[in-house]
Amino acid sequence: MTPAPGKIVCVGRNYADHAAELGSDVPAEPLIFLKPPSAVIAAGDPIRVPPDAGRVDYEGEIGLVVGSRCSRVSEDEAWSHIGGVVALNDVTARDLQNADGQWTRAKGIDTFCPVGNVVDASAVLPERLAVTTTVNGEVRQHAEASRMVFSPRHLVSFISHVMTLEAGDLIATGTPEGVGPVSPGDVVEVTLSCGSAVRNPVEGGETLAPAG
Ligand code: MG
């Protein structure tokens, strides 16, 4: 079943090597943005790349599913409010991201948020998680959560001091170095060490430009 989060809170530049590969600095505080729930697809569903979107990149990430409503929780309490861990692909239209400054269009296109099977968070030590991304079976990204600038527990606490997190909300904790473009015909898979995975074919999509 495709998850239906109320909101998807994403974290940008949370691995130093990824910030560097895009020519960006690591932020002093977590840099957060939203992806719309309408972007979510499940394993096996196609990522549809609009012909006029320019370069479209995979971003393999460790995703967290909020288990219980929380607001202003401490770092120590944070993990008790996370119900699940999921492989997540924060698909990004890189040229549109750079052109717009704001990231909503680049990150919000339909099908641009593949989400994998949910693994019970109580069985997971977040600091020990690792994420791997392959394209057509070839490894492109691999990193452990211990290399994040801000840890999963810190992110949950930080975000909960900005907005109330509701059960079912998703948090995408940022992508490590190794991002790159995909094209129709490719198959992208994001796998977590805890056993969640999401594998999706890439297909052509509808144009972003309105007719007329
Ligand atoms: Mg991302």
Side-chain angles (χ1 to χ4, degrees), residues 4-212:
K7 59 182 173 288
I8 306 164
V9 188
C10 304
V11 181
R13 300 173 192 160
N14 197 30
Y15 292 83
D17 291 346
H18 170 63
E21 77 180 345
L22 296 183
S24 305
D25 292 327
V26 169
E29 294 180 297
L31 173 62
I32 62 173
F33 60 96
L34 295 169
K35 247 169 130 77
S38 47
V40 171
I41 58 172
D45 295 339
I47 298 166
R48 296 194 183 278
V49 174
D52 50 351
R55 171 176 159 169
V56 170
D57 285 2
Y58 56 84
E59 290 192 359
E61 306 198 6
I62 296 166
L64 311 178
V65 185
V66 176
S68 55
R69 186 173 213 252
C70 60
S71 172
R72 307 185 66 82
V73 291
S74 70
E75 214 167 302
D76 285 346
E77 298 167 305
W79 198 249
S80 69
H81 291 282
I82 298 302
V85 178
V86 288
L88 187 149
N89 191 345
D90 175 23
V91 182
T92 302
R94 194 69 68 199
D95 291 336
L96 298 183
Q97 181 185 27
N98 292 333
D100 288 355
Q102 300 291 323
W103 300 357
T104 304
R105 181 168 63 146
K107 303 270 192 179
I109 297 169
D110 286 352
T111 75
F112 275 26
C113 192
V115 177
N117 55 297
V118 180
V119 173
D120 183 353
S122 65
V124 171
L125 272 178
E127 297 77 12
R128 298 271 178 84
L129 285 167
V131 57
T132 303
T133 309
T134 65
V135 177
N136 305 326
E138 186 178 301
V139 175
R140 300 291 181 83
Q141 295 183 289
H142 178 77
E144 293 174 4
S146 58
R147 290 187 39 234
M148 289 178 177
V149 178
F150 303 105
S151 71
R153 295 177 206 269
H154 183 87
L155 293 174
V156 173
S157 174
F158 178 88
I159 294 166
S160 80
H161 282 76
V162 179
M163 62 187 85
T164 298
L165 291 167
E166 307 279 358
D169 285 352
L170 277 173
I171 297 171
T173 59
T175 202
E177 68 278 12
V179 298
V182 287
S183 306
D186 289 336
V187 176
V188 190
E189 183 166 23
V190 180
T191 308
L192 302 187
S193 52
C194 64
S196 182
V198 64
R199 175 187 170 93
N200 304 86
V202 181
E203 296 182 0
E206 300 290 318
T207 173
L208 293 172

